[in-house]
Amino acid sequence: MSQPGPPEPGRPRSTEQEPPGRLDQAAQQKLIQELGRALLRTAPPGWQEVGVEYRAVGDYSELAAHLVAPNGTLVPLSAPAEVGAMFARLRHGMHEPDRGTWLSAIYRLQRPSSYSVDFNGDYEPSYDRSEERRVGK
């Protein structure tokens, strides 16, 4: 796993005064549920699934989101800025001494409100590096 980087440019990390790894399991779960609520607020009527991938290394992070329409079509989705900030806080808070933290996370929200989150701490993901995906641009 990687070490958490400094706050994203233009976006102070709310936990920057706190040492890394300060989120216990209950706080992590609460933040993950807040992520889901933020995504629910942006989902249009008729959605079947919302997927978000957050990728970060050092001070660079990016977010890619989509929804699955009723006919199964993938539609790009603009996630609210707060979603990127929540992922950054979660990543910082999940840091473990001598191990680091994860590099990417995939959040899937399925109608009506079930979700899953997968964290990747072993393999560096492919980065898009496009401006529209960059968090804190």
Side-chain angles (χ1 to χ4, degrees):
M1 291 189 191
S2 70
Q3 300 298 316
E8 298 157 18
R11 249 201 209 295
R13 188 181 282 147
S14 62
T15 57
E16 66 185 325
Q17 284 84 20
E18 296 177 18
R22 285 296 187 128
L23 289 178
D24 61 21
Q25 286 286 70
Q28 291 172 24
Q29 196 60 38
K30 181 179 179 194
L31 191 50
I32 288 169
Q33 290 170 350
E34 287 175 23
L35 269 163
R37 284 191 288 277
L39 292 170
L40 271 174
R41 287 191 296 272
T42 64
W47 67 278
Q48 296 302 307
E49 180 179 310
V50 175
V52 179
E53 183 174 8
Y54 178 84
R55 300 174 288 257
V57 64
D59 66 349
Y60 179 81
S61 60
E62 61 186 30
L63 190 69
H66 69 271
L67 66 85
V68 178
N71 65 359
T73 305
L74 285 178
V75 179
L77 179 68
S78 262
E82 68 185 301
V83 169
M86 286 182 207
F87 270 116
R89 182 169 175 231
L90 186 62
R91 182 173 184 263
H92 181 77
M94 290 177 70
H95 178 271
E96 296 177 15
D98 300 323
R99 184 169 162 92
T101 192
W102 45 269
L103 297 163
S104 64
I106 297 175
Y107 192 110
R108 288 181 193 86
L109 179 63
Q110 295 175 324
R111 191 177 189 103
S113 62
S114 66
Y115 65 91
S116 65
V117 186
D118 295 308
F119 298 102
N120 163 31
D122 298 319
Y123 305 102
E124 188 166 343
S126 297
Y127 295 94
D128 185 301
R129 299 253 182 221
S130 61
E131 274 304 304
E132 67 267 7
R133 298 221 192 277
R134 184 172 173 97
V135 175
K137 46 186 168 186

